[in-house]
Amino acid sequence: MWTSLIHTDSETRDEQEALLLDVYKQMFIVTYSIMRNKSEAMDAVQESWVKILRKLDTLRERDKLIQWAKVIATNTAYNMLKRKVAVSLSEENGLSLVSSEGVEERVIRNIIFEEIGKLDDKTRHILTYKFVYDMKDKEIADKMELPLGTVKARIHRGKEQLRAMLTDPYLKPE
């Protein structure tokens, strides 16, 4: 079934394998950027492959294989995260049902908080005061006994560090 999709008379076996490897890499990049964990991303890719093989006959244009696979991988990763968050929330709150409403926002917030935890102590405290407790820069400066300019600079640098940590996960070692 799969070979009928990827096989054309003009392609060699090496070209076919290169295509499959490219599809796999693209799917992994997408799932890792969502899952932020290599083993979970690989699980999402594997689950996506099963879905792709089951629905292979619905792909109309072979040229769109990579895009189609990436969409399936993206949806699979988000669904896995929703299940994971729902399970962890239900474990904390007993065996209650958890609504999927707002799960993506909670997942994103949890990822950001996890990355904030990796920053140095002063930057982490300043960003926590700023974004968790909604404190004004002046209030943070007073509380930490720092000049206002220092607080503003650390907020700026901290946001830049977070942006770097959150935008290029595939290239960073885990």
Side-chain angles (χ1 to χ4, degrees):
M1 176 166 59
W2 181 257
T3 55
S4 65
L5 173 74
I6 64 165
H7 179 70
T8 62
D9 294 332
S10 64
E11 285 185 332
T12 66
R13 184 165 178 81
D14 290 339
E15 290 171 329
Q16 294 170 5
E17 288 178 11
L19 172 65
L20 291 178
L21 184 60
D22 190 36
V23 170
Y24 181 85
K25 284 180 181 177
Q26 294 293 323
M27 290 169 63
F28 179 79
I29 289 169
V30 166
T31 57
Y32 186 79
S33 69
I34 295 167
M35 305 296 287
R36 311 277 301 153
N37 178 297
K38 288 179 184 176
S39 63
E40 290 176 358
M42 291 172 74
D43 289 344
V45 170
Q46 293 304 316
E47 190 173 318
S48 300
W49 275 115
V50 171
K51 291 176 182 179
I52 287 169
L53 290 173
R54 285 187 182 149
K55 297 292 185 178
L56 197 55
D57 56 334
T58 63
L59 179 63
R60 295 186 189 128
E61 297 178 42
R62 181 179 179 269
D63 299 353
K64 305 218 183 214
L65 174 65
I66 292 176
Q67 292 87 353
W68 183 63
K70 286 169 61 174
V71 168
I72 291 172
T74 299
N75 292 337
T76 301
Y78 276 123
N79 288 338
M80 288 176 77
L81 274 179
K82 286 178 186 178
R83 286 192 303 259
K84 182 179 173 184
V85 169
V87 167
S88 69
L89 288 175
S90 65
E91 287 172 356
E92 291 172 9
N93 301 327
L95 294 175
S96 61
L97 294 175
V98 177
S99 168
S100 65
E101 194 172 274
V103 170
E104 279 129 0
E105 291 83 10
R106 282 182 274 170
V107 168
I108 291 169
R109 190 173 337 127
N110 288 341
I111 289 169
I112 291 170
F113 285 146
E114 183 179 310
E115 295 300 316
I116 287 175
K118 295 176 184 176
L119 297 172
D120 65 274
D121 287 343
K122 286 188 179 185
T123 304
R124 182 175 61 248
H125 284 74
I126 288 173
L127 291 180
T128 302
Y129 289 143
K130 177 76 174 173
F131 298 111
V132 175
Y133 298 112
D134 289 326
M135 292 175 69
K136 304 284 183 210
D137 295 352
K138 177 71 173 136
E139 294 172 318
I140 298 169
D142 292 342
K143 182 163 185 75
M144 296 189 75
E145 298 176 352
L146 293 170
L148 181 59
T150 302
V151 169
K152 288 182 178 189
R154 286 191 179 156
I155 289 170
H156 177 73
R157 279 194 305 268
K159 287 179 4 183
E160 291 297 317
Q161 288 174 332
L162 276 176
R163 186 174 293 115
M165 293 163 77
L166 294 169
T167 57
D168 205 12
Y170 185 69
L171 299 176
K172 291 186 312 191
E174 186 158 59

